Amino acid sequence: MASSSSSMDRVSWRAQVLTRHLQQPSSSHSSVAPVLESSVCLQYAPPELSEKFDFDVREMRQLMDGHNIEDRDWLFGLMIQSKLFCPRNSGGKVFVSPDYNQSMEQQREMTMKRIAYLLDRGVFEGWLTEKGAEAELRKFAFFEVIGIFDHSLAVKLGVHFFLWGGAIQFFGTKRHHDKWLKDTESYVIKGCFAMTELGHGSNVRGIETITTYDTSTGEFVINTPCESAQKYWIGGAANHATYTIVFSQLHINGKSEGVHAFITQIRDANGNICPNIRIADCGHKIGLNGVDNGRIWFDNVRIPRENLLNSVADVSQDGQYLSAIKDPDQRFAAFLSPLTSGRVTIALSSIYSTKISLAIAIRYSLTRRAFSVSPNGPEILLLDYPSHQRRLLPLLAKTYAMSFAANYLKAVYVKRTPAANKTIHILSSAYKATFTWHDMKTLQECREACGGQGLKTENRIGQLKSENDVKSTFEGDNNVLMQQVSKALLSEYIAAKKKKKPFKGLGLEHMNDSCPVIPAQLSSSVLRSSKFQVDIFCLRERDLLNRLASQVAERQAQGESREYAFLMSYQLAEDLARAFSERAILQNFLESEASLSVGSLKNVLGLLRSMYAMVSLEEDASFLRYGYMSTENDAAVRKEVMKLCSELRSHALSLVSSFGIPDAFLSPIAFNWIESNSWSSVHN
Amino acid sequence: MADNSISGKTDQILVEEHSYVRTLILNRPRQLNALSLQMVSHLLELFTIYEEDRNVKLLILKGEGRAFCAGGDVAAVVKDTTDGHWRLGARFFWIEYTLNYIMATYNKPQVSILNGIIFGGGAGASIHGRFRIATENSVFSMPETALGLFPDVGASYFLSRLPGFFGEYIGLTGARLDGAEMLACGLATHFVPAMKLSLLEEALFKVNTSDPAVVSTIIDKISEHPPLKAKCAYHRLDAINRCFSKRTVEEILSALEKEAANGADNWLSETIQSLKKASPTSLKISLRSIREGRLQSVGQCLVREYRMCCHVLRKDVSKDFFEGCRAILLDKDRNPKWEPLRLDLVSDDMVNLYFTKVEDEEWEDLKLPARPSLLAASSMAKL
């Protein structure tokens, strides 16, 4: 604390500053050329005037977005040019974003109108009918851009194309593809996806909806046997969807064959709910109100036998159950594995959400000043405060790291082979959880970093918090997913030990090498070397996996089941899943870095990678808890974080400019916030 | 003027003083006031001086004779480039684009009186300013794609900000707009009948402030809202949005042809014709430029256009600009031989090259002057 006399000095000095501000407004209110007169009033200066650009922003954007740059810009332009996307003028610039002040019903109708517009402009062409990595990447690019505008719009499309359409593609066979895919792509029908029930979410195998087969008519009969079996959160069901995929237990001749998927019509073309279907609204939500989530009950709903999506199992005309996969566990796994696309897209969109909020908060922090360090001195830019740098720049580095990891995940996904299914499943689970948590943390920090301005819906960040919150639980609860990651790693471990074979895949090959040795003294250059960073991340993963395996084995030796033993080891499992994710992200980052030739771009990426590694070391208590680092080393890491903050400070603007998000998709405080809040703007 | 040609005075620009107002007159009526190197240099000098001059509050820009401005004097640029070095031609565009940027970020209102043709560079010299007055004599066009060039002078900024995809339409086809249509789409801020122009100028001469609201009120009193003619393209905005929003030039053309198959009319066939007559390379780089411009600031647009322009002058990909000038301006056979001849022969790589830096050690990106007044300027131009 300052002494009382110096704090009094400060008070009187603040008063002087305020007085000067208050004495000035006469000139800015007079009609004589207000824009010409310089005054001591605060002026907005675009950060571009003072910040330097050490590397080519276009090149960095190409690296980050990775593909379909021109297509992305086309779609951004399509949205900016249509009134449907609510263009608003503020501070001499146009901004687009949904009107969140509309009622839930209005927001839902706007979502559908926007879909119709994009459909009309050909955005969805080939989303389901074109095959190959190129078409898939273009679809991802468009989906990312749409998510930058509004999460509701993305989710509504995601349900229709990726869940409904994806289920037909992956669970269905040719007869389903021929009948449904084209009509889905052109919105002749509107699909939804009824998996979750009131009583069962992540545990899909436990759902209670029951389907039987009626041999006499050749039809399936679907029923909701109890209230907990009502389908819940079904996006599109409350207002618009005409068809749904129903997930249900299949009972054949009194025997349960497990969960299967069926196509069922729920509305006619005019939007009237079909007989034997009951639908209710899930109501207003904390966000995502542009999506009409609903609840569905089935009362002896009859559907033709052909509506079973039969890629894994079928029922013959005479009621025999047929499946090539005899083991119900494997059958279920084969069934759900294609659903990873949802997790992939959520992971990708979370990164773009962090990009929006960081671009806004960092641009604001480069134009907004607060307090001076010397009496009568100029006020200081927010981002020139080391503490403000510490709040935002590590998050920026993480977004860069995760952006490269997301690109890797996307590349693996579009080139997928059946052999890669396990990797995709585990990686998409780990990244979906890690990225969405990073997103929520970043949004909160950016919201606070913008102060009161962060509260305004027009400034996006605050609203994004509620729009994106759902990402941490839908398509797999993050905590459940992370436990699954550790469980899968444990299985790998047990299998490798049992078969006495080396580890292969999931980046676990380092387990085959001797244990890395961490230098006792960590100098700055050691801390910034990729060798050290990889070593210590691998050491943590390796040790945690060993610990988890031995703890589970110990408990099993005491007579506990493997499941129970794992469940009781959740703390280690949590640490391990984090260690796995962070090590994988670091490696993805290094691979992207390695693809670049020496130059300014590579240099700044080196700083970002080191920052990513350092904050990970700083934030995860595991390193101290299990003794991978001494407390002295921890202090060295903290010091390095500070140093990296000050080095990254000068690149902050170019780093957020490289995100490739057009100004119109940011917000007024990212630009001339004085003009956008001026009295003259009140009347416009 | 020899060495001082860049900064020397020329009678191609006349200046009239009325208290706080300066009227700049483009005075090259026999060339329809086409902008020469001297003119853009002189204008740049005047704009720079007046910005600092506290006795100047308002600028009026108009043309002598029946044109406002027929564009940049590209015939001269082509001659310079052919006789000498492409860098001579590039110098013209460097100065012209700098002038466009100064106008777009100017801190005093510029009133452009568009009583006649406004082509290409003429649009660049006026649309970036705060007030654009159309009359019944106005004829606006961005004819560059027919000339083997692309809409430059910051057109990728102002065209991309017109309603819907109207900017793509006029940028690719070179379609002509009259004064009423200019007002409707936002290229003009006001419409004043030609016979009332002297009244308008008299009223403006009395202005003693740079407050755009005051200037606007004065012009509002004299301006009118003429009805759109029945055959004007702005009535076709729905079809324009459907077709010109497509991702590629090929898709735009096929969308237009599809519309024509459902019922041909003059407008559709003229539109298709003008696209088919234009340089395929020009069409592709123009579309890409407008699309990029939609997401960029005016400064970024001009820097990009300067890159594109230098590639054009260096014939890095295509010689269409020189062929277009030969066919339209010099030999006047109006039959340019484009190369590549068809859209499908213009590859993505060829288009991409126009957007890269020029590989020449002495070449540099357009360096725009620092604009301390950028703060207020963003609201001056009202596009």
Side-chain angles (χ1 to χ4, degrees):
Chain A
M1 277 302 287
S3 72
S4 68
S5 74
S6 78
S7 67
M8 277 314 289
D9 285 351
R10 258 191 100 67
V11 167
S12 67
W13 167 74
R14 280 296 302 167
Q16 278 174 26
V17 171
L18 287 171
T19 314
R20 277 204 308 278
H21 282 206
L22 291 171
Q23 282 166 347
Q24 280 306 316
S26 57
S27 77
S28 66
H29 274 276
S30 72
S31 62
V32 183
V35 291
L36 295 183
E37 311 300 329
S38 65
S39 74
V40 299
C41 284
L42 290 179
Q43 294 246 322
Y44 171 86
E48 280 81 2
L49 293 182
S50 47
E51 298 295 310
K52 61 184 180 132
F53 285 82
D54 271 349
F55 58 87
D56 187 341
V57 167
R58 284 173 82 102
E59 218 179 303
M60 185 68 102
R61 183 195 174 191
Q62 175 68 45
L63 192 67
M64 300 278 282
D65 275 343
H67 56 94
N68 297 88
I69 306 288
E70 209 184 327
D71 292 330
R72 290 171 196 263
D73 286 351
W74 169 66
L75 181 50
F76 280 129
L78 274 187
M79 295 198 268
I80 294 172
Q81 290 309 99
S82 166
K83 295 273 175 278
L84 289 171
F85 295 81
C86 311
R88 284 184 296 266
N89 223 303
S90 183
K93 292 182 86 83
V94 171
F95 296 98
V96 290
S97 101
D99 180 358
Y100 293 109
N101 200 29
Q102 283 184 328
S103 71
M104 176 180 87
E105 289 301 332
Q106 288 169 320
Q107 289 187 49
R108 291 171 176 184
E109 291 318 305
M110 283 309 292
T111 306
M112 269 326 283
K113 279 185 186 163
R114 289 174 187 134
I115 289 176
Y117 170 80
L118 297 175
L119 174 71
D120 203 39
R121 298 293 184 260
V123 174
F124 311 132
E125 267 166 33
W127 276 31
L128 291 169
T129 55
E130 247 179 77
K131 286 204 169 72
E134 202 180 311
E136 201 148 29
L137 283 174
R138 194 174 72 222
K139 176 171 69 180
F140 274 128
F142 285 156
F143 198 66
E144 287 161 15
V145 166
I146 287 166
I148 288 172
F149 173 74
D150 175 36
H151 194 209
S152 282
L153 183 57
V155 166
K156 185 93 175 168
L157 288 166
V159 167
H160 178 77
F161 283 102
F162 300 137
L163 294 180
W164 156 267
I168 303 228
Q169 273 179 321
F170 299 127
F171 308 154
T173 51
K174 188 167 183 304
R175 68 177 186 225
H176 304 110
H177 301 168
D178 293 347
K179 187 168 178 188
W180 304 100
L181 292 183
K182 207 162 157 279
D183 282 354
T184 299
E185 198 171 285
S186 55
Y187 270 90
V188 172
I189 55 162
K190 301 184 193 100
C192 65
F193 187 80
M195 184 149 88
T196 298
E197 296 175 357
L198 177 60
H200 292 86
S202 289
N203 180 19
V204 180
R205 294 187 76 172
I207 58 170
E208 297 170 290
T209 303
I210 292 172
T211 299
T212 55
Y213 182 68
D214 181 348
T215 325
S216 65
T217 61
E219 289 171 320
F220 289 109
V221 185
I222 307 174
N223 268 293
T224 303
C226 50
E227 284 301 358
S228 60
Q230 64 178 275
K231 293 295 178 185
Y232 214 100
W233 292 128
I234 312 308
N239 292 95
H240 299 122
T242 53
Y243 283 83
T244 189
I245 305 284
V246 185
F247 282 82
S248 161
Q249 304 290 346
L250 175 60
H251 289 191
I252 296 290
N253 301 324
K255 182 175 175 237
S256 174
E257 299 289 355
V259 176
H260 290 70
F262 305 85
I263 296 173
T264 306
Q265 186 169 9
I266 55 172
R267 282 192 181 82
D268 65 19
N270 298 321
N272 305 305
I273 295 170
C274 293
N276 298 7
I277 303 274
R278 285 175 287 149
I279 292 181
D281 207 304
C282 287
H284 193 264
K285 305 184 288 287
I286 61 166
L288 219 63
N289 283 303
V291 178
D292 52 325
N293 293 92
R295 306 182 276 150
I296 314 176
W297 291 258
F298 302 92
D299 308 316
N300 284 313
V301 175
R302 289 181 163 265
I303 56 166
R305 188 177 67 93
E306 292 74 29
N307 283 17
L308 168 67
L309 293 172
N310 60 342
S311 69
V312 172
D314 207 350
V315 172
S316 66
Q317 181 72 42
D318 62 352
Q320 300 306 307
Y321 184 76
L322 312 161
S323 177
I325 307 175
K326 293 291 167 230
D327 176 14
D329 285 350
Q330 280 182 17
R331 201 157 63 215
F332 183 72
F335 208 57
L336 287 193
S337 63
L339 284 185
T340 43
S341 83
R343 284 200 289 275
V344 174
T345 54
I346 292 167
L348 299 173
S349 81
S350 298
I351 295 307
Y352 280 97
S353 158
T354 67
K355 288 177 180 174
I356 297 169
S357 58
L358 284 166
I360 294 170
I362 286 178
R363 289 189 65 91
Y364 185 59
S365 73
L366 289 169
T367 61
R368 177 65 151 83
R369 295 171 182 272
F371 303 107
S372 325
V373 280
S374 59
N376 297 322
E379 287 189 297
I380 302 213
L381 273 182
L382 296 185
L383 201 62
D384 285 333
Y385 285 98
S387 57
H388 210 76
Q389 294 167 8
R390 174 62 186 86
R391 290 169 66 187
L392 296 177
L393 299 182
L395 293 170
L396 179 65
K398 283 187 182 179
T399 283
Y400 264 82
M402 291 177 196
S403 194
F404 293 125
N407 285 346
Y408 174 79
L409 175 63
K410 198 164 25 172
V412 176
Y413 181 78
V414 299
K415 285 182 279 181
R416 65 192 171 276
T417 55
N421 271 350
K422 187 168 72 184
T423 307
I424 294 172
H425 173 73
I426 294 168
L427 207 58
S428 66
S429 299
Y431 283 1
K432 184 260 182 186
T434 307
F435 297 0
T436 56
W437 275 331
H438 167 62
D439 185 19
M440 291 309 291
K441 219 175 136 186
T442 303
L443 289 170
Q444 183 62 27
E445 196 63 61
C446 289
R447 198 308 274 160
E448 292 179 32
C450 293
Q453 289 296 329
L455 296 178
K456 293 185 78 175
T457 306
E458 68 171 21
N459 287 328
R460 295 210 67 183
I461 302 172
Q463 184 70 30
L464 280 172
K465 287 200 303 169
S466 49
E467 295 298 321
N468 285 337
D469 201 329
V470 65
K471 286 178 180 164
S472 49
T473 52
F474 74 175
E475 300 266 338
D477 173 282
N478 280 1
N479 284 291
V480 173
L481 290 177
M482 287 302 249
Q483 292 286 323
Q484 279 179 12
V485 169
S486 287
K487 202 177 222 171
L489 295 176
L490 181 61
S491 306
E492 290 290 306
Y493 183 94
I494 293 169
K497 296 290 161 191
K498 208 184 203 167
K499 292 179 195 152
K500 296 201 163 56
K501 274 192 171 166
F503 287 89
K504 194 163 177 296
L506 297 173
L508 292 176
E509 288 81 358
H510 68 90
M511 301 283 295
N512 304 320
D513 305 333
S514 57
C515 188
V517 180
I518 305 303
Q521 292 290 320
L522 296 180
S523 65
S524 182
S525 65
V526 169
L527 285 170
R528 292 187 189 204
S529 71
S530 55
K531 163 103 174 55
F532 160 76
Q533 294 162 3
V534 171
D535 276 354
I536 195 156
F537 276 44
C538 286
L539 174 67
R540 172 179 55 160
E541 183 180 25
R542 169 192 198 106
D543 181 68
L544 286 169
L545 184 47
N546 284 326
R547 281 174 193 265
L548 178 66
S550 62
Q551 190 175 106
V552 169
E554 234 168 75
R555 284 182 166 271
Q556 278 183 275
Q558 287 163 15
E560 288 176 5
S561 72
R562 182 160 149 193
E563 286 68 29
Y564 187 73
F566 182 79
L567 194 138
M568 294 308 290
S569 306
Y570 70 93
Q571 288 178 321
L572 274 172
E574 193 183 309
D575 290 343
L576 172 61
R578 177 173 180 170
F580 166 81
S581 308
E582 291 183 353
R583 190 266 306 149
I585 292 166
L586 178 66
Q587 278 176 340
N588 294 158
F589 199 143
L590 281 165
E591 284 154 22
S592 298
E593 219 182 310
S595 70
L596 294 173
S597 49
V598 176
S600 50
L601 206 62
K602 199 180 179 111
N603 291 343
V604 75
L605 287 181
L607 292 179
L608 288 163
R609 189 240 311 139
S610 287
M611 174 66 103
Y612 172 71
M614 290 309 112
V615 287
S616 302
L617 291 176
E618 190 191 39
E619 288 172 0
D620 185 4
S622 295
F623 291 99
L624 287 175
R625 181 183 298 139
Y626 303 107
Y628 313 136
M629 254 184 356
S630 64
T631 49
E632 290 78 22
N633 286 346
D634 193 46
V637 165
R638 294 203 87 192
K639 215 190 235 169
E640 204 61 25
V641 169
M642 262 186 90
K643 268 163 76 181
L644 284 163
C645 276
S646 68
E647 285 172 55
L648 280 170
R649 158 67 185 85
S650 63
H651 300 293
L653 181 66
S654 34
L655 287 170
V656 296
S657 303
S658 304
F659 289 156
I661 300 170
D663 296 356
F665 292 78
L666 298 179
S667 71
I669 42 161
F671 301 95
N672 193 343
W673 42 269
I674 294 185
E675 191 182 329
S676 68
N677 284 291
S678 67
W679 178 249
S680 65
S681 74
V682 173
H683 303 286
N684 287 332
Chain B
M1 259 167 285
D3 252 0
N4 289 330
S5 61
I6 301 277
S7 59
K9 285 203 158 71
T10 156
D11 58 4
Q12 292 178 0
I13 304 283
L14 304 178
V15 181
E16 290 174 1
E17 292 191 18
H18 298 90
S19 62
Y20 289 111
V21 179
R22 299 290 174 276
T23 303
L24 312 182
I25 303 166
L26 308 177
N27 183 34
R28 221 183 155 207
R30 282 173 52 185
Q31 286 84 8
L32 300 175
N33 300 325
L35 296 169
S36 62
L37 179 62
Q38 286 86 341
M39 287 164 85
V40 289
S41 308
H42 194 186
L43 282 173
L44 179 58
E45 190 184 295
L46 291 171
F47 268 78
T48 309
I49 292 168
Y50 292 150
E51 187 156 48
E52 297 299 318
D53 188 342
R54 296 174 76 93
N55 290 319
V56 176
K57 305 285 187 192
L58 176 80
L59 298 180
I60 297 176
L61 187 65
K62 61 181 192 174
E64 180 66 35
R66 62 192 181 88
F68 171 75
C69 172
D73 190 352
V74 287
V77 170
V78 166
K79 189 171 181 306
D80 281 351
T81 306
T82 317
D83 295 351
H85 196 271
W86 65 272
R87 236 181 247 113
L88 286 176
R91 191 170 65 151
F92 171 81
F93 291 105
W94 180 290
I95 296 167
E96 187 185 27
Y97 295 177
T98 306
L99 172 67
N100 298 144
Y101 183 65
I102 298 280
M103 288 173 161
T105 55
Y106 212 58
N107 62 12
K108 304 178 187 189
Q110 172 190 346
V111 179
S112 301
I113 297 175
L114 309 173
N115 188 27
I117 64 168
I118 315 103
F119 283 4
S126 54
I127 307 299
H128 293 295
R130 180 62 179 81
F131 297 105
R132 290 90 63 185
I133 316 294
T135 74
E136 68 276 19
N137 300 320
S138 300
V139 183
F140 176 96
S141 171
M142 298 302 286
E144 287 86 353
T145 60
L147 214 60
L149 195 60
F150 62 93
D152 60 339
V153 295
S156 62
Y157 181 79
F158 63 74
L159 288 181
S160 63
R161 279 155 179 80
L162 298 184
F165 295 83
F166 199 65
E168 272 96 336
Y169 163 65
I170 55 179
L172 296 185
T173 63
R176 294 183 173 202
L177 311 181
D178 66 17
E181 212 171 355
M182 286 183 72
L183 181 68
C185 75
L187 282 167
T189 56
H190 295 82
F191 182 99
V192 174
M195 60 176 295
K196 289 193 184 171
L197 284 177
S198 49
L199 202 66
L200 172 71
E201 289 182 60
E202 287 301 324
L204 288 174
F205 292 158
K206 299 195 184 83
V207 166
N208 61 0
T209 167
S210 290
D211 184 348
V214 173
V215 180
S216 188
T217 312
I218 292 170
I219 311 175
D220 284 345
K221 275 187 194 141
I222 306 175
S223 67
E224 297 180 2
H225 283 271
L228 283 175
K229 293 207 178 88
K231 68 175 186 70
C232 90
Y234 203 65
H235 287 307
R236 309 297 293 265
L237 194 54
D238 282 347
I240 287 170
N241 286 344
R242 272 196 303 277
C243 300
F244 284 87
S245 60
K246 293 284 188 255
R247 239 187 318 165
T248 62
V249 179
E250 288 92 331
E251 287 173 80
I252 290 173
L253 246 178
S254 78
L256 285 163
E257 282 164 347
K258 218 193 235 164
E259 297 260 333
N262 292 333
D265 61 35
N266 272 344
W267 178 80
L268 274 171
S269 43
E270 274 171 27
T271 303
I272 292 168
Q273 257 331 95
S274 53
L275 289 179
K276 289 196 165 163
K277 265 172 59 186
S279 149
T281 308
S282 289
L283 289 174
K284 286 203 171 179
I285 63 173
S286 301
L287 182 64
R288 167 94 173 261
S289 174
I290 294 169
R291 295 275 160 88
E292 287 201 8
R294 183 161 284 139
L295 308 177
Q296 292 175 322
S297 66
V298 66
Q300 290 171 312
C301 286
L302 288 163
V303 170
R304 174 175 38 70
E305 289 174 8
Y306 183 71
R307 281 188 188 187
M308 296 169 69
C309 183
C310 289
H311 285 293
V312 167
L313 294 174
R314 284 162 48 94
K315 306 174 193 170
D316 282 336
V317 178
S318 148
K319 302 186 184 75
D320 279 2
F321 177 48
F322 298 86
E323 172 61 11
C325 287
R326 183 204 61 74
I328 311 283
L329 303 174
L330 304 173
D331 298 351
K332 302 195 176 163
D333 59 26
R334 310 199 69 80
N335 188 22
K337 301 268 179 287
W338 302 129
E339 202 186 326
L341 186 60
R342 294 197 319 266
L343 286 168
D344 60 310
L345 298 175
V346 184
S347 69
D348 286 351
D349 285 344
M350 290 161 76
V351 173
N352 288 340
L353 196 109
Y354 283 93
F355 297 82
T356 58
K357 292 188 176 198
V358 171
E359 302 225 355
D360 180 324
E361 279 184 8
E362 286 175 45
W363 180 87
E364 54 178 355
D365 266 325
L366 179 63
K367 277 214 174 52
L368 294 169
R371 302 293 291 153
S373 57
L374 202 58
L375 351 161
S378 59
S379 64
M380 286 301 268
K382 196 179 169 195
L383 288 161

